[in-house]
Amino acid sequence: MSTPEIQDELQSTRFEQRKLIARKIDEELLLFDEETSTAHCLNGIAGEMWMACERHSSAADVTDFLRTRWPDIEKEVVWASLSRMAAAGLLEETTGQEIISPARRELIRRLGFTAAAVLPIVVTSVLIPPAAAAASCGHLLAPCGGTNPPCCSGFHCLAGVCEPL
Amino acid sequence: MSPFKLRPTSCNVQNASELAEIFAGSWRQSSFRKATLSSENLHRHAGLIASAGGAALTWFSIRRYIPEFSESVVNLYREAYVDSVARAAAHEAELERISAAFQAAGIRSILLKGWSIGRLYPESGLRPSGDIDLWIDPNRHVRAILERVATRRQSVDLDHDQLRRFENRSFDEFYASCDTVHLGSTPIKVLPREDQIRVLCLHFLKHGGWRPIWLCDIAVLLESSNAAFRWELCLGSDARRARWVGCTIALARDLLGARIPQEAPRCVTSSPPGWFTRTILREWSNPAAPNAESFAHRCTKKCHN
């Protein structure tokens, strides 16, 4: 697996946290995406990986960080885990290479496929309905109409939002 | 041992009594598992616990004893907890944005309920996050600011008729007495504990006391108060309202085991009327929509007799 192309990929691809709300719960990390109202629960090692991407970090950087706690973890596994988290919208991924050769793409695909079976990360995502939808009635400027709750007393629904009467 | 002493008279009230025992002291990190916290009870009362707003708090009570509970109960309450933590995080982010925008515009605001109480629980998200209740300087218009910064994913409530009806101090007077707490780096004004407890008690009564988490909030506030607690400020100058507040605090003690600050006056230390406790338990036994009208009707009838 240690082909030059893959080594290059491990160094040149950078990962950075997306702007999500993070909360530590028990041994896990909860990430909440306000735009999509989705909560992502990351197990311990996935949470550590995400936290290690505070600034643009490569898989090699993250591996060095993780090895203080998980000495046997491999760079390829970390790279595949970070890529998967990027695909789930938890990380931004940037690569120094503008053009990826077909051969390299194939190598990446194979690496990703192989590593996927043994990835230590667990990410559970759940949609959290916005609080407005859970409220019994809408206050000032709350969305109304359609499936939204009706406006509270003292307000009426005007152009999709609750306005004062 | 729960301090709960009532003798329920019906099946429904029995359920509410068990609910009270489940919630009693649940905001404290207990060193033992209460007998009422069993898989059977938590499964049977799941609907009531959820509508009570206490699912995350229940998870807090049981998570140290996971092997003693069934997998389905663990998953159910764990999911509710994660949901509540996510909502609290979003609620806090929105509150921080709105408060910072108001401050930048020189608009004074006081946070009522919500995070001002949630921050006193051992962890964020143990109580449900509802509206963002802000009391705004009545001389200022905030609509344009709200339109600019609010994501509208959280309801913002600026209308608090309870304050107009029951408080005889002005916004300026309240603002001057507020405590300043920080959410992230944003300073937020909150009422002193004594005022918060009175506001919560009146809010609890106004809505028919149907949500047990509101009584937990009162208990948490009482227990986070220090020895310098000013009972005369908490109960207010109106004797009748002072009895309402006193009864509600006593109810938090009797149903949920709330520890009351020392040197409480008699209206707090004596037992609340039996009809009041029974009525609240009947409300708690109904997991459907709030039943404030029926409560108000019963209350008026009793008060006139």
Side-chain angles (χ1 to χ4, degrees):
Chain A
M1 263 191 210
S2 296
T3 62
E5 288 89 346
I6 289 174
Q7 288 305 318
D8 181 48
E9 177 67 24
L10 294 173
Q11 291 292 344
S12 65
T13 304
R14 298 272 160 174
F15 297 90
E16 189 172 38
Q17 295 172 356
R18 275 196 59 218
K19 283 194 170 51
L20 304 172
I21 301 171
R23 289 283 185 280
K24 195 89 177 150
I25 53 170
D26 303 330
E27 293 301 306
E28 301 185 354
L29 184 69
L30 174 79
L31 299 176
F32 185 69
D33 186 335
E34 285 189 286
E35 284 179 19
T36 61
S37 288
T38 306
H40 307 271
C41 256
L42 281 61
N43 69 344
I45 194 166
E48 291 289 334
M49 285 184 194
W50 191 85
M51 296 298 284
C53 295
E54 195 174 348
R55 292 182 189 83
H56 281 84
S57 305
S58 67
D61 298 334
V62 175
T63 307
D64 289 343
F65 173 78
L66 292 175
R67 277 185 177 159
T68 56
R69 201 168 151 194
W70 291 277
D72 299 329
I73 197 157
E74 293 176 10
K75 285 179 188 172
E76 290 83 352
V77 169
V78 172
W79 177 86
S81 300
L82 294 173
S83 296
R84 184 183 275 193
M85 285 199 270
L90 308 180
L91 295 169
E92 303 277 5
E93 185 176 353
T94 52
T95 178
Q97 310 291 327
E98 286 191 9
I99 300 168
I100 302 176
S101 71
R104 188 165 169 229
R105 185 181 289 126
E106 175 61 16
L107 277 170
I108 293 167
R109 190 190 69 78
R110 280 166 49 197
L111 173 59
F113 182 77
T114 308
V118 291
L119 290 188
I121 62 163
V122 179
V123 178
T124 315
S125 301
V126 58
L127 185 68
I128 308 283
S136 54
C137 65
H139 295 288
L140 180 65
L141 301 178
C144 55
T147 56
N148 294 307
C151 298
C152 298
S153 64
F155 298 95
H156 67 149
C157 191
L158 192 65
V161 292
C162 294
E163 298 274 3
L165 279 171
Chain B
M1 185 82 176
S2 164
F4 185 68
K5 302 181 195 84
L6 290 173
R7 290 180 192 162
T9 54
S10 72
C11 179
N12 281 350
V13 175
Q14 173 75 44
N15 286 341
S17 305
E18 289 177 10
L19 193 66
E21 291 196 45
I22 287 168
F23 289 150
S26 57
W27 54 90
R28 301 183 209 119
Q29 191 74 265
S30 173
S31 55
F32 64 95
R33 180 175 70 82
K34 290 185 289 187
T36 45
L37 289 175
S38 64
S39 283
E40 187 198 345
N41 276 350
L42 296 186
H43 184 76
R44 190 155 50 93
H45 296 312
L48 278 181
I49 290 171
S51 76
L57 201 52
T58 303
W59 170 256
F60 181 72
S61 298
I62 69 170
R63 72 174 173 198
R64 293 172 67 199
Y65 312 102
I66 286 172
E68 298 174 37
F69 293 92
S70 69
E71 191 181 345
S72 62
V73 162
V74 167
N75 289 341
L76 184 69
Y77 287 92
R78 158 91 185 160
E79 281 171 23
Y81 168 73
V82 170
D83 183 287
S84 187
V85 171
R87 285 180 193 284
H91 181 94
E92 289 166 19
E94 183 85 331
L95 172 62
E96 202 175 350
R97 273 191 295 268
I98 292 171
S99 298
F102 283 169
Q103 282 158 26
I107 293 171
R108 295 177 300 164
S109 66
I110 301 171
L111 178 67
L112 307 168
K113 302 180 282 176
W115 180 77
S116 72
I117 303 154
R119 72 191 179 87
L120 301 174
Y121 279 78
E123 290 176 15
S124 175
L126 292 186
R127 74 182 293 284
S129 307
D131 300 340
I132 295 174
D133 292 291
L134 286 169
W135 189 12
I136 305 291
D137 183 342
N139 299 317
R140 300 297 299 266
H141 295 285
V142 296
R143 187 196 154 94
I145 294 173
L146 270 184
E147 281 186 339
R148 180 165 52 81
V149 299
T151 62
R152 299 186 187 180
R153 295 187 195 102
Q154 311 284 324
S155 289
V156 181
D157 188 359
L158 306 178
D159 183 39
H160 308 289
D161 68 315
Q162 181 189 320
L163 295 169
R164 288 195 303 271
R165 287 165 64 192
F166 297 132
E167 302 294 346
N168 48 20
R169 282 183 286 160
S170 67
F171 175 86
D172 287 343
E173 287 170 293
F174 272 107
Y175 191 84
S177 69
C178 275
D179 297 326
T180 303
V181 294
H182 283 81
L183 176 55
S185 58
T186 307
I188 291 183
K189 293 284 185 187
V190 299
L191 295 173
R193 303 282 157 93
E194 293 90 342
D195 284 329
Q196 281 203 60
I197 289 172
R198 185 183 60 262
V199 167
L200 285 188
C201 287
L202 296 175
H203 175 262
F204 179 81
L205 297 174
K206 176 186 155 189
H207 289 287
W210 73 275
R211 216 164 188 211
I213 195 71
W214 293 336
L215 206 59
C216 291
D217 287 346
I218 293 166
V220 168
L221 265 167
L222 286 165
E223 293 189 9
S224 65
S225 302
N226 59 27
F229 191 80
R230 295 160 294 176
W231 280 106
E232 71 285 358
L233 176 61
C234 175
L235 298 173
S237 55
D238 182 290
R240 194 171 181 212
R241 283 176 211 150
R243 281 198 300 276
W244 296 351
V245 174
C247 277
T248 310
I249 292 172
L251 190 74
R253 178 200 59 212
D254 287 1
L255 290 184
L256 301 178
R259 294 169 185 155
I260 295 176
Q262 290 184 340
E263 296 173 12
R266 210 162 70 85
C267 70
V268 176
T269 54
S270 54
S271 294
W275 67 264
F276 176 58
T277 309
R278 284 192 300 275
T279 304
I280 294 297
L281 286 177
R282 271 198 292 271
E283 293 298 322
W284 288 9
S285 67
N286 175 16
N291 201 8
E293 275 188 26
S294 68
F295 176 86
H297 176 71
R298 280 198 293 277
C299 183
T300 308
K301 209 170 134 192
K302 289 282 180 187
C303 293
H304 284 200
N305 285 343

